[in-house]
Amino acid sequence: MHFRNQTFLRKKRGGVGAFLLMILAGAVVVAACWYASSLKGSKERTDDSFALQVDGDKAQACHREFLALEAKFNSAHEIKREKIAPEDIDVYEQAVAAYEKYLAYSGIDVRSNLRLDKMRRKLHTLRGDKIRERTLKLEAEAERLAEKKSYAAAEKLFREAAEQERRIETQYALAEKRSHARTVGLHNRMLAMQAIPMEARAAALEKSGTDALEKQDWRAANRDLREALKLRNRLWSDYRAVSASDSQSIARLNQLVETVDSSADFEKTENFRKEALDAEARKDWKAAAEAWEKTWRTQQLLEKNFPRSRFASAERRREIEAARANTEARPDFAEFQENDAALREAIRERGTDRVQLLARSNAVIAARIAEKFPQSTLITPEMRTRLAYLNVKSRDLPQIQKAVFDALLPIPGVPAEARRMLRTEVSQALYTFVMDENPSADAAEPLAPVESVSFEDAEAFCARLAVLLGRAVRLPTIEEFLAAAGTFDEATIEEHAWTLENSDARIHRCGTRAPNAAGFCDLYGNVSEWISENGDDGVSATAVGGDCQFPTKLLAAEHVQKSLRKEKSRLRGFRVVVEE
């Protein structure tokens, strides 16, 4: 029992010893690693100081060398200033190196030395300034070459300038004038020198391709437009920062290229269109309708396959649809035209019953065409408006025609069978009947001249009255007005005109002063009157005759006045001429 215990204790002690030895060995390994790491860290910390050991004598020698080199540099810098030479900067670089050795031999950490940091910054700035001088000269010369359109030579100089500026950033990062923006700017100018000729080439190709497209030279258009698109895509992908090319110009070229691609279908539609027009010229409406059908189907196919093509426009499709519908509506429209000719003749002959019958008949035909052929453009909006107006006014046609024709007088010097002019101004009653409104400021007197009408209002009245009379109606010319007015006699003018002296400055009924020798009333005074002129500028118009607030003595010399066409004066009206 005792022996076994001793044996157990010896084994136990032996195990503990082995365990302690293992711990000790691990500690030795850790210590060795720490030592090696510390040596490495020491080496890394002293890289800037050349891993030199502290040595007072060498430190003093390096310090003396530093002072001498710094003094030499300062002396050169004092004399040369901005024109300091690269070899002088080399001296300063040697001074910086000597100062680094001095710090290292003195056991001073170079990384925390403010003076050394300041010297390094100065050295980087000096080196950077010299490089900057070079890049500025390169840039100026490059810009000069660019102005002369020597883009390849300019690109080379901009590239060199950009590389030198990048050198300042990478090698002399402490330089005061280090500028990443300038590096990028020079690089972009270099890219611009590459892009400008490409832009010009792309623009020229697009123009020649578009011209070829207009001439339907499909091969040339295809060649030039695809090359232009290729250049625009490259400019967009590689030169986006400096190129004028954008997504819109690329989209435009894509549309042009697709237009060329659709040329075969376009030519088919044009051939079918010609076939349809030839059939229409022969009045072969069935063949024309069939050809327009082929045209429409080919156009649909073009729009489906080439939706971006210029030939795939909705306007073009509507034109084809309208042409097809017009061809199909021709029989009905022929009946409409026949009735319309008879209707115009009935109006001229004052055949009221026939006018009502023909107007209603054509209204029915127009409605039938609109229902069966909604795309047809044969019946114009003006035709529909005229028909609707006649249907409303046809019952009163005899009265209006009698009122107007009875009031017309021949113009002196003009055959009566050619044209006649209204004896008085257009009254408010006549204007209201024709236009269904009375714009006059004083609308209490139906027999007074209509006033507050613009030049456009007067022309609209003429157009409507022409429908009711079956004849052309217009404003008189200045020659017709003066011919009707005759010789101006200031001594007797107040017998024929309402002027400032006899009107109480207000408008009077039409024709209440004595007519002149030709039978016309109120050509002078009462209200001034719009007339038509050749060479009208579309903005202004002429009024003549003066008004009730016009002095008699000024009528002869100053009654012709210019006004804006849209102007509405309560002292201005008009009269009309009816062509026979």
Side-chain angles (χ1 to χ4, degrees):
M1 180 70 176
H2 176 70
F3 174 75
R4 268 187 261 170
N5 286 340
Q6 284 184 336
T7 302
F8 171 75
L9 287 172
R10 278 199 298 273
K11 288 181 179 179
K12 187 174 181 180
R13 287 171 185 160
V16 171
F19 179 70
L20 290 174
L21 285 173
M22 289 175 65
I23 292 176
L24 181 59
V28 170
V29 171
V30 171
C33 291
W34 176 84
Y35 180 68
S37 177
S38 65
L39 287 177
K40 182 179 179 182
S42 176
K43 183 177 183 301
E44 289 174 351
R45 286 194 300 273
T46 58
D47 277 349
D48 288 339
S49 56
F50 311 101
L52 301 176
Q53 302 297 321
V54 175
D55 187 324
D57 294 337
K58 290 183 178 181
Q60 289 301 318
C62 288
H63 193 259
R64 287 192 297 273
E65 180 185 5
F66 156 69
L67 291 175
L69 289 167
E70 185 180 44
K72 182 179 178 181
F73 169 78
N74 288 337
S75 176
H77 189 263
E78 182 68 25
I79 295 170
K80 299 179 181 178
R81 295 293 180 182
E82 289 80 8
K83 296 182 179 180
I84 193 166
E87 52 268 24
D88 298 319
I89 300 175
D90 292 341
V91 171
Y92 191 73
E93 186 170 6
Q94 295 169 16
V96 174
Y99 191 69
E100 288 175 340
K101 290 182 180 180
Y102 158 69
L103 293 176
Y105 281 127
S106 299
I108 301 173
D109 188 352
V110 298
R111 293 176 302 177
S112 59
N113 188 272
L114 295 179
R115 183 174 183 183
L116 178 60
D117 180 66
K118 184 177 180 181
M119 291 171 67
R120 283 175 171 171
R121 291 182 181 276
K122 182 176 180 179
L123 175 61
H124 282 213
T125 297
L126 290 168
R127 293 289 192 200
D129 286 351
K130 280 298 169 186
I131 295 174
R132 177 61 55 78
E133 289 178 13
R134 172 66 177 158
T135 65
L136 288 172
K137 290 179 181 178
L138 288 169
E139 183 182 15
E141 179 62 15
E143 293 291 1
R144 187 184 70 79
L145 290 170
E147 287 182 4
K148 293 184 175 182
K149 299 184 178 181
S150 300
Y151 300 118
E155 176 200 345
K156 183 178 179 181
L157 296 184
F158 277 124
R159 184 189 299 276
E160 184 180 349
E163 290 172 351
Q164 290 297 317
E165 285 291 337
R166 194 173 291 108
R167 183 182 164 205
I168 296 175
E169 288 192 75
T170 55
Q171 295 183 21
Y172 305 107
L174 301 178
E176 289 180 1
K177 295 181 181 178
R178 175 177 62 90
S179 172
H180 181 66
R182 177 167 169 76
T183 303
V184 172
L186 288 167
H187 179 74
N188 284 341
R189 287 295 287 149
M190 176 200 73
L191 292 178
M193 296 303 101
Q194 298 173 1
I196 289 172
M198 292 172 62
E199 287 275 6
R201 175 65 176 158
L205 285 168
E206 183 175 351
K207 184 180 184 307
S208 62
T210 303
D211 290 344
L213 184 63
E214 294 298 326
K215 297 174 183 176
Q216 297 187 11
D217 184 352
W218 310 121
R219 179 175 296 181
N222 184 59
R223 179 193 65 230
D224 291 352
L225 291 173
R226 288 189 187 280
E227 182 63 23
L229 180 59
K230 181 179 178 182
L231 287 171
R232 290 289 184 194
N233 279 326
R234 185 181 173 196
L235 286 165
W236 178 247
S237 62
D238 298 345
Y239 300 92
R240 192 175 305 181
V242 298
S243 170
S245 289
D246 55 18
S247 58
Q248 289 184 346
S249 61
I250 292 172
R252 183 178 64 250
L253 276 167
N254 274 318
Q255 182 196 38
L256 293 173
V257 168
E258 191 156 306
T259 300
V260 175
D261 292 341
S262 69
S263 60
D265 283 342
F266 169 74
E267 287 188 335
K268 286 182 182 178
T269 62
E270 289 301 289
N271 289 335
F272 288 138
R273 179 196 292 268
K274 184 177 182 303
E275 183 182 329
L277 293 174
D278 289 344
E280 286 184 0
R282 301 191 307 269
K283 297 184 185 284
D284 186 348
W285 305 120
K286 181 179 179 182
E290 291 173 355
W292 281 121
E293 179 69 19
K294 292 176 185 176
T295 308
W296 181 74
R297 291 190 182 282
T298 308
Q299 179 66 23
Q300 276 194 317
L301 186 65
L302 186 153
E303 293 179 11
K304 178 182 178 182
N305 294 335
F306 307 101
R308 290 182 297 182
S309 169
R310 284 186 176 181
F311 303 136
S313 68
E315 181 181 359
R316 180 177 169 81
R317 185 176 67 254
R318 284 194 296 269
E319 288 176 359
I320 295 171
E321 289 173 344
R324 182 183 64 170
N326 289 343
T327 301
E328 294 171 341
R330 281 292 173 181
D332 288 326
F333 186 63
E335 184 183 355
F336 179 92
Q337 287 180 305
E338 184 179 346
N339 283 352
D340 190 61
L343 175 61
R344 291 175 185 274
E345 185 62 28
I347 294 172
R348 288 183 63 86
E349 294 176 356
R350 305 191 193 183
T352 305
D353 294 338
R354 289 185 63 222
V355 168
Q356 293 178 2
L357 179 64
L358 291 168
R360 285 196 294 269
S361 176
N362 260 8
V364 171
I365 295 172
R368 185 168 70 237
I369 291 175
E371 182 180 358
K372 291 171 61 178
F373 313 105
Q375 287 84 20
S376 174
T377 57
L378 293 174
I379 308 294
T380 65
E382 292 77 13
M383 290 178 180
R384 296 180 192 281
T385 301
R386 176 171 165 271
L387 271 176
Y389 184 66
L390 276 173
N391 274 304
V392 171
K393 298 293 185 182
S394 59
R395 289 185 179 181
D396 298 318
L397 206 56
Q399 294 91 328
I400 185 65
Q401 288 183 336
K402 184 176 188 311
V404 173
F405 286 125
D406 287 353
L408 293 176
L409 292 175
I411 302 169
V414 178
E417 62 272 14
R419 56 186 178 275
R420 292 181 294 167
M421 190 164 72
L422 206 62
R423 186 174 67 89
T424 67
E425 312 98 314
V426 172
S427 68
Q428 294 182 25
L430 178 58
Y431 189 94
T432 302
F433 180 85
V434 173
M435 302 300 290
D436 296 319
E437 64 175 355
N438 184 2
S440 302
D442 182 3
E445 178 51 75
L447 298 182
V450 66
E451 29 88 359
S452 301
V453 286
S454 67
F455 183 84
E456 284 88 351
D457 293 335
E459 287 197 320
F461 174 89
C462 291
R464 282 202 180 181
L465 185 59
V467 172
L468 299 177
L469 300 183
R471 291 164 172 79
V473 179
R474 58 174 175 81
L475 296 174
T477 64
I478 183 66
E479 293 80 11
E480 289 168 338
F481 177 89
L482 294 175
T487 304
F488 185 88
D489 184 357
E490 186 175 340
T492 62
I493 189 64
E494 289 188 21
E495 298 176 12
H496 306 287
W498 291 111
T499 63
L500 180 64
E501 287 77 10
N502 63 6
S503 68
D504 291 332
R506 63 181 180 84
I507 297 172
H508 292 258
R509 288 184 177 185
C510 299
T512 51
R513 300 303 282 171
N516 66 8
F520 292 99
C521 297
D522 301 326
L523 285 170
Y524 290 107
N526 215 18
V527 292
S528 61
E529 301 177 22
W530 290 113
I531 61 169
S532 64
E533 281 189 296
N534 292 328
D536 195 343
D537 62 7
V539 177
S540 60
T542 302
V544 295
D547 54 58
C548 60
Q549 296 179 8
F550 218 84
T552 302
K553 63 181 179 180
L554 298 180
L555 274 178
E558 300 183 18
H559 73 92
V560 179
Q561 296 179 324
K562 279 284 186 181
S563 299
L564 293 175
R565 293 167 65 101
K566 295 183 179 298
E567 181 181 296
K568 296 184 178 184
S569 168
R570 60 178 300 274
L571 296 175
R572 182 166 300 141
F574 65 98
R575 73 182 68 209
V576 298
V577 170
V578 177
E579 302 276 0
E580 292 298 330

